[in-house]
Amino acid sequence: MYIVETQQELRSKINEYKQQQLTIGLVPTMGALHEGHLTLIKKCLSENDITVVSIFVNPTQFNNAEDLIKYPRNLAKDAQLLEQVGVDIVFAPSTEEMYDAEELNSRFAFDFNGLDTVMEGAMRPGHFNGVVQIVSRLFHLVTPNKAYFGEKDFQQLAIIRHMTYHSSMSSTFDNLTIVGCPIVRETSGLALSSRNERLSEQQKNIATNIYKTLNLSKDWANTCSVKEVEQKVIHTINSIEGLDVEYYCIVDKDSLQATNTFHNAIGCITVYCGDVRLIDNIQY
Ligand code: PAF
């Protein structure tokens, strides 16, 4: 396995693979890898000749400086794990390698057709611009045939699909398929996330109530309206000490806009457990 830190080295490796007509899969990550990432990586390994995993805690997608500082990082442990599963290249650049000062500070304004004005986009201004800034850069560098993203970040996946297939940038991503992979959960139901590393055992226990409540909400959907289900979910989770809902929105799976029917609907939630921000979702 190669650990590559520069764009130039990455490009030259990719050129070698392309000359050999090998297919390339990309799994973009911010490290602190867990089973959820490994599921994406194993799928990528099984569907492509070459698997590239990027590890880069992208500063431009953090709208909260504290969150960026506290984001877990462990490149040595991640690299060991990736070597064991048979990844070909780990791309782990520094911030300076990826961005010059202007790129780091300028705020892009991509057009996401309204996908970014709700939920995470509304709560974290600039977040999706930063995600698209780094993901489009990685796509141009790696020119993958397939790129893999988790459905836990459902809104991110929708925006990346939009960028790849429907935006003004789409023509530069010829023959690229975006592959979405289902949420991986602990046996307790808690959705796997790098941020879980920051939860105490007691908090982890409390946080299992998020998925329990989302599951219950599917039953409530048989007798209640969308608005009533949203309110019941928020009320139930907020009544558990240690949990604080930021938003729970039931939206159309394609447009991500509010809906008043459970048909093609997904419920997306963000909950603070202490100072750790957890997200999850459930499809109705
Ligand atoms: O989902 C993530 O970990 C990040 O948003 C991504 C896609 C790696 C971009 O930094």
PDB file of all heavy atoms in Angstrom, residues 28-30 56 58 61 131 134-135 149 153 156, ligand 1:
ATOM      1  N   PRO A  28     -13.625   8.814  -0.168  1.00  0.00           N
ATOM      2  CA  PRO A  28     -13.145   9.997   0.559  1.00  0.00           C
ATOM      3  C   PRO A  28     -13.525   9.891   2.041  1.00  0.00           C
ATOM      4  O   PRO A  28     -14.664   9.545   2.356  1.00  0.00           O
ATOM      5  CB  PRO A  28     -13.913  11.169  -0.086  1.00  0.00           C
ATOM      6  CG  PRO A  28     -14.530  10.606  -1.328  1.00  0.00           C
ATOM      7  CD  PRO A  28     -14.736   9.152  -1.062  1.00  0.00           C
ATOM      8  N   THR A  29     -12.569  10.161   2.927  1.00  0.00           N
ATOM      9  CA  THR A  29     -12.873  10.126   4.364  1.00  0.00           C
ATOM     10  C   THR A  29     -12.133  11.270   5.077  1.00  0.00           C
ATOM     11  O   THR A  29     -11.245  11.888   4.506  1.00  0.00           O
ATOM     12  CB  THR A  29     -12.418   8.801   5.044  1.00  0.00           C
ATOM     13  OG1 THR A  29     -11.011   8.874   5.323  1.00  0.00           O
ATOM     14  CG2 THR A  29     -12.711   7.578   4.209  1.00  0.00           C
ATOM     15  N   MET A  30     -12.515  11.453   6.336  1.00  0.00           N
ATOM     16  CA  MET A  30     -11.758  12.385   7.178  1.00  0.00           C
ATOM     17  C   MET A  30     -11.025  11.588   8.261  1.00  0.00           C
ATOM     18  O   MET A  30     -10.662  12.124   9.312  1.00  0.00           O
ATOM     19  CB  MET A  30     -12.685  13.433   7.787  1.00  0.00           C
ATOM     20  CG  MET A  30     -13.355  14.287   6.700  1.00  0.00           C
ATOM     21  SD  MET A  30     -13.866  15.910   7.246  1.00  0.00           S
ATOM     22  CE  MET A  30     -15.099  15.489   8.447  1.00  0.00           C
ATOM     23  N   PHE A  56      -8.459  13.209   4.947  1.00  0.00           N
ATOM     24  CA  PHE A  56      -8.173  14.645   5.019  1.00  0.00           C
ATOM     25  C   PHE A  56      -9.276  15.319   5.816  1.00  0.00           C
ATOM     26  O   PHE A  56     -10.447  15.291   5.413  1.00  0.00           O
ATOM     27  CB  PHE A  56      -8.122  15.223   3.592  1.00  0.00           C
ATOM     28  CG  PHE A  56      -7.824  16.702   3.552  1.00  0.00           C
ATOM     29  CD1 PHE A  56      -6.632  17.205   4.048  1.00  0.00           C
ATOM     30  CD2 PHE A  56      -8.750  17.595   3.017  1.00  0.00           C
ATOM     31  CE1 PHE A  56      -6.354  18.570   4.021  1.00  0.00           C
ATOM     32  CE2 PHE A  56      -8.488  18.965   2.978  1.00  0.00           C
ATOM     33  CZ  PHE A  56      -7.282  19.453   3.478  1.00  0.00           C
ATOM     34  N   ASN A  58     -11.043  18.129   6.344  1.00  0.00           N
ATOM     35  CA  ASN A  58     -11.145  19.293   5.453  1.00  0.00           C
ATOM     36  C   ASN A  58     -11.595  20.548   6.207  1.00  0.00           C
ATOM     37  O   ASN A  58     -12.774  20.660   6.562  1.00  0.00           O
ATOM     38  CB  ASN A  58     -12.154  18.946   4.344  1.00  0.00           C
ATOM     39  CG  ASN A  58     -12.447  20.135   3.471  1.00  0.00           C
ATOM     40  OD1 ASN A  58     -11.562  20.948   3.216  1.00  0.00           O
ATOM     41  ND2 ASN A  58     -13.692  20.234   3.008  1.00  0.00           N
ATOM     42  N   GLN A  61     -14.973  22.747   5.441  1.00  0.00           N
ATOM     43  CA  GLN A  61     -16.357  22.319   5.687  1.00  0.00           C
ATOM     44  C   GLN A  61     -16.761  22.435   7.156  1.00  0.00           C
ATOM     45  O   GLN A  61     -17.874  22.070   7.523  1.00  0.00           O
ATOM     46  CB  GLN A  61     -16.586  20.898   5.164  1.00  0.00           C
ATOM     47  CG  GLN A  61     -15.919  19.790   5.947  1.00  0.00           C
ATOM     48  CD  GLN A  61     -16.044  18.453   5.250  1.00  0.00           C
ATOM     49  OE1 GLN A  61     -15.395  18.184   4.246  1.00  0.00           O
ATOM     50  NE2 GLN A  61     -16.899  17.580   5.771  1.00  0.00           N
ATOM     51  N   VAL A 131     -17.580  20.914   1.481  1.00  0.00           N
ATOM     52  CA  VAL A 131     -17.596  19.499   1.089  1.00  0.00           C
ATOM     53  C   VAL A 131     -17.402  19.391  -0.430  1.00  0.00           C
ATOM     54  O   VAL A 131     -16.579  18.602  -0.917  1.00  0.00           O
ATOM     55  CB  VAL A 131     -18.926  18.818   1.517  1.00  0.00           C
ATOM     56  CG1 VAL A 131     -19.047  17.435   0.887  1.00  0.00           C
ATOM     57  CG2 VAL A 131     -19.026  18.718   3.033  1.00  0.00           C
ATOM     58  N   ILE A 134     -13.800  20.160  -1.619  1.00  0.00           N
ATOM     59  CA  ILE A 134     -12.793  19.098  -1.472  1.00  0.00           C
ATOM     60  C   ILE A 134     -13.151  17.877  -2.331  1.00  0.00           C
ATOM     61  O   ILE A 134     -12.273  17.269  -2.952  1.00  0.00           O
ATOM     62  CB  ILE A 134     -12.574  18.697   0.019  1.00  0.00           C
ATOM     63  CG1 ILE A 134     -11.373  17.757   0.147  1.00  0.00           C
ATOM     64  CG2 ILE A 134     -13.790  18.039   0.637  1.00  0.00           C
ATOM     65  CD1 ILE A 134     -10.056  18.329  -0.230  1.00  0.00           C
ATOM     66  N   VAL A 135     -14.430  17.526  -2.373  1.00  0.00           N
ATOM     67  CA  VAL A 135     -14.791  16.309  -3.106  1.00  0.00           C
ATOM     68  C   VAL A 135     -14.548  16.515  -4.612  1.00  0.00           C
ATOM     69  O   VAL A 135     -14.027  15.626  -5.297  1.00  0.00           O
ATOM     70  CB  VAL A 135     -16.246  15.879  -2.800  1.00  0.00           C
ATOM     71  CG1 VAL A 135     -16.689  14.751  -3.711  1.00  0.00           C
ATOM     72  CG2 VAL A 135     -16.371  15.437  -1.344  1.00  0.00           C
ATOM     73  N   PHE A 149     -19.938   6.778  -0.751  1.00  0.00           N
ATOM     74  CA  PHE A 149     -20.320   7.666   0.359  1.00  0.00           C
ATOM     75  C   PHE A 149     -21.397   6.975   1.190  1.00  0.00           C
ATOM     76  O   PHE A 149     -22.234   6.242   0.650  1.00  0.00           O
ATOM     77  CB  PHE A 149     -20.873   8.995  -0.181  1.00  0.00           C
ATOM     78  CG  PHE A 149     -19.860   9.788  -0.957  1.00  0.00           C
ATOM     79  CD1 PHE A 149     -19.704   9.581  -2.321  1.00  0.00           C
ATOM     80  CD2 PHE A 149     -19.044  10.717  -0.325  1.00  0.00           C
ATOM     81  CE1 PHE A 149     -18.749  10.289  -3.056  1.00  0.00           C
ATOM     82  CE2 PHE A 149     -18.095  11.431  -1.039  1.00  0.00           C
ATOM     83  CZ  PHE A 149     -17.949  11.217  -2.411  1.00  0.00           C
ATOM     84  N   ASP A 153     -24.852  10.395   6.049  1.00  0.00           N
ATOM     85  CA  ASP A 153     -24.833  11.803   5.627  1.00  0.00           C
ATOM     86  C   ASP A 153     -25.702  11.913   4.374  1.00  0.00           C
ATOM     87  O   ASP A 153     -25.184  12.129   3.265  1.00  0.00           O
ATOM     88  CB  ASP A 153     -23.402  12.248   5.346  1.00  0.00           C
ATOM     89  CG  ASP A 153     -22.552  12.180   6.601  1.00  0.00           C
ATOM     90  OD1 ASP A 153     -22.785  12.968   7.511  1.00  0.00           O
ATOM     91  OD2 ASP A 153     -21.676  11.290   6.665  1.00  0.00           O
ATOM     92  N   GLN A 156     -25.502  15.139   2.325  1.00  0.00           N
ATOM     93  CA  GLN A 156     -24.214  15.230   1.623  1.00  0.00           C
ATOM     94  C   GLN A 156     -24.233  14.367   0.360  1.00  0.00           C
ATOM     95  O   GLN A 156     -23.801  14.795  -0.713  1.00  0.00           O
ATOM     96  CB  GLN A 156     -23.101  14.759   2.564  1.00  0.00           C
ATOM     97  CG  GLN A 156     -21.763  14.514   1.872  1.00  0.00           C
ATOM     98  CD  GLN A 156     -20.650  14.211   2.850  1.00  0.00           C
ATOM     99  OE1 GLN A 156     -20.121  15.105   3.487  1.00  0.00           O
ATOM    100  NE2 GLN A 156     -20.259  12.949   2.978  1.00  0.00           N
TER     101      GLN A 156
HETATM  102  O1  PAF B   1     -18.242  12.521   4.926  1.00  0.00           O
HETATM  103  C1  PAF B   1     -17.081  12.920   5.141  1.00  0.00           C
HETATM  104  O2  PAF B   1     -16.304  12.297   5.877  1.00  0.00           O
HETATM  105  C2  PAF B   1     -16.595  14.209   4.492  1.00  0.00           C
HETATM  106  O3  PAF B   1     -17.615  15.145   4.408  1.00  0.00           O
HETATM  107  C3  PAF B   1     -15.949  13.982   3.107  1.00  0.00           C
HETATM  108  C4  PAF B   1     -16.938  13.435   2.108  1.00  0.00           C
HETATM  109  C5  PAF B   1     -14.778  13.025   3.253  1.00  0.00           C
HETATM  110  C6  PAF B   1     -15.413  15.310   2.558  1.00  0.00           C
HETATM  111  O4  PAF B   1     -14.483  15.875   3.396  1.00  0.00           O
END
